[in-house]
């Protein structure tokens, strides 16, 4: 199908259809991909960012390939590995250029103070491995890839993989410090009060004119004003009950026990960062169905990220907080 130059509406619809088909095909691999990215990044937020970037890069790369994928799982892990290794190397080069010292390793036998860090390191996988070493250890020891599959995933040789595994398994490391990104509590308190009152003008007044609001992996809105014809409504739609229509929504299988009604917003601290939990009523009691992160500048909000369609993030954060939760699947479009 051809388009005249400037026919962005038609092009956008075509891209959306192809993108949704791509996500549908790879959806069964999403939980495992998130788990892999989680081992690499050691943060639920960074892991989901890497998942989203992997899916986007994979989508673009697939459009340039002229042969079939013999092993979609290994290929997707390869995309994630390459993205993460490149990103980690860039960060390391930037630190070196700035003259920042490397983090010190703990003395032999020194146990990390934070039990969660030990769990996340999975015993043998630790933060101070090189990017390739960490990826090699995870792929081999956690996901049971063969040496040949690890080599293909890391674009290297089997011999190099063996060497990386030998080095990686022999290292000890301290947990990485997690930098708190907590916004000003007053802003979040005001946001929650306006949200629970369904006061849209008060909510939008807290946003900067250049703010970004998104449902991660689904929709992005810019500025204070809601779109003239919201469909998935990353901001305005969040004030309303969950619905499913022919245009999309949450699949009915994820709504069993949901009583309807709009959510209630609450501020919680998670890993030194203040996040928003959105509670929905169910026949078994209230449960969280999404987690939001918020970035601020002074007393205004610069960015909101709504993790509504990221079940892996919702599950991990809510389990760590010890709160009941439900998930909504990975997509808003309904099978025709």
């Amino acid at each position: 199908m051809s388009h005249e130059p400037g026919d962005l509406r038609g092009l956008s619809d075509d891209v959306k259809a192809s993108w949704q088909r791509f996500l549908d095909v790879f959806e069964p691999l999403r939980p495992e991909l998130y788990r892999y990215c989680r081992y690499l990044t050691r943060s639920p937020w960074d892991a989901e960012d890497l998942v989203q970037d992997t899916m986007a890069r994979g989508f673009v790369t697939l459009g340039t390939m002229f042969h079939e994928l013999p092993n979609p799982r290994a290929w997707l892990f390869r995309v994630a590995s390459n993205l993460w290794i490149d990103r980690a190397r860039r960060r390391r080069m930037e630190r070196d250029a700035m003259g920042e010292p490397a983090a010190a390793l703990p003395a032999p036998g020194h146990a990390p103070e934070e039990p969660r860090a030990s769990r996340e390191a999975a015993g043998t996988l630790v933060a101070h491995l090189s990017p390739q070493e960490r990826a090699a250890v995870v792929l081999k020891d956690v996901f049971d890839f063969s040496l040949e599959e690890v080599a293909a995933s890391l674009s290297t040789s089997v011999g190099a993989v063996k060497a990386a595994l030998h080095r990686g398994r022999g290292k000890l490391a301290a947990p990485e410090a997690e930098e708190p990104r907590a916004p000003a509590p007053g802003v979040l308190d005001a946001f929650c009060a306006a949200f629970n009152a369904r006061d849209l003008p008060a909510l939008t007044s807290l946003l900067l004119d250049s703010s970004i609001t998104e449902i991660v992996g689904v929709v992005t809105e810019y500025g204070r004003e809601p779109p003239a014809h919201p469909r998935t409504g990353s901001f305005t739609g969040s004030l309303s009950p969950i619905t499913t229509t022919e245009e999309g929504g949450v699949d009915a299988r994820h709504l069993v026990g949901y009583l309807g009604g709009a959510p209630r917003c609450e501020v919680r601290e998670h890993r030194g960062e203040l996040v928003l939990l959105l509670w929905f009523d169910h026949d078994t009691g209230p449960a969280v169905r999404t987690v939001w992160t918020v970035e601020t500048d002074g007393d205004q909000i610069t960015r909101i990220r709504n993790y509504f369609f990221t079940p892996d993030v919702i599950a991990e954060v809510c389990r760590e907080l010890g709160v009941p939760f439900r998930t909504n699947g990975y997509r808003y479009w309904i099978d025709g």
Side-chain angles (χ1 to χ4, degrees), residues 55-330:
M55 301 304 288
R57 177 68 64 85
F59 177 66
V60 172
T61 303
L62 191 63
T64 65
M65 296 174 64
F66 293 90
H67 59 272
E68 294 293 325
L69 290 175
N71 188 334
R73 174 177 179 260
W75 173 74
L76 199 62
F77 274 53
R78 178 176 184 171
V79 174
S81 300
N82 290 339
L83 280 173
W84 183 75
I85 288 173
D86 289 345
R87 195 172 299 172
R89 284 173 175 166
R90 283 196 300 271
R91 285 198 299 266
R92 183 167 295 179
M93 290 174 64
E94 290 169 358
R95 287 197 301 268
D96 291 344
M98 294 292 291
E100 296 178 4
L105 293 176
H110 177 73
E113 294 181 4
E114 173 57 63
R116 184 183 66 231
S118 177
R119 172 178 60 82
E120 289 170 355
T124 55
L125 175 66
V126 288
H128 291 276
L129 302 184
S130 74
Q132 191 176 56
E133 289 167 355
R134 191 189 303 194
V137 171
V138 174
L139 290 170
K140 186 70 178 71
D141 293 351
V142 179
F143 291 91
D144 199 28
F145 273 40
S146 67
L147 290 174
E148 291 75 17
E149 288 174 326
V150 175
S153 295
L154 301 182
S155 303
T156 188
S157 66
V158 170
V161 169
K162 290 180 179 178
L165 289 171
H166 178 74
R167 292 192 305 270
R169 287 166 174 163
K171 289 183 179 180
L172 295 175
E176 294 176 347
E178 294 176 354
E179 298 181 3
R181 297 179 293 175
V187 175
L188 292 191
D189 288 341
F191 183 91
C192 283
F195 187 99
N196 293 334
R198 309 290 178 254
D199 189 343
L200 185 57
L203 283 171
T204 55
S205 72
L206 296 171
L207 302 178
L208 279 178
D209 289 336
S210 58
S211 63
I212 300 173
T213 308
E214 62 182 303
I215 298 179
V216 175
V218 173
V219 65
T220 303
E221 296 170 1
Y222 297 92
R224 289 184 176 184
E225 297 301 320
H229 304 287
R231 297 179 68 184
T232 52
S234 66
F235 192 67
T236 55
S238 298
L239 294 169
S240 305
I242 301 173
T243 59
T244 302
T245 69
E246 60 182 12
E247 292 187 341
V250 176
D251 192 289
R253 63 195 167 127
H254 298 298
L255 296 178
V256 175
Y258 170 56
L259 299 179
R264 176 178 59 85
C265 186
E266 177 192 14
V267 181
R268 286 286 188 101
E269 182 176 346
H270 176 259
R271 297 173 173 237
E273 177 182 4
L274 296 178
V275 299
L276 302 180
L277 304 183
L278 268 62
W279 294 81
F280 295 76
D281 289 329
H282 298 78
D283 55 9
T284 55
V288 173
R289 296 197 75 109
T290 185
V291 181
W292 292 14
T293 60
V294 181
E295 298 174 18
T296 64
D297 181 6
D299 60 355
Q300 289 190 293
I301 293 171
T302 60
R303 187 179 191 185
I304 295 174
R305 305 194 78 198
N306 177 356
Y307 288 83
F308 191 86
F309 288 107
T310 63
D312 306 295
V313 172
I314 294 170
E316 178 174 355
V317 171
C318 289
R319 284 182 181 130
E320 289 190 354
L321 291 175
V323 299
F325 66 92
R326 303 284 185 94
T327 57
N328 312 293
Y330 291 100

Side-chain angles (χ1 to χ4, degrees), residues 1-4 7 9-11 13-14:
M1 181 178 180
S2 62
H3 298 283
E4 293 296 323
D7 183 12
R9 177 62 184 176
L11 178 61
D13 289 343
D14 289 349

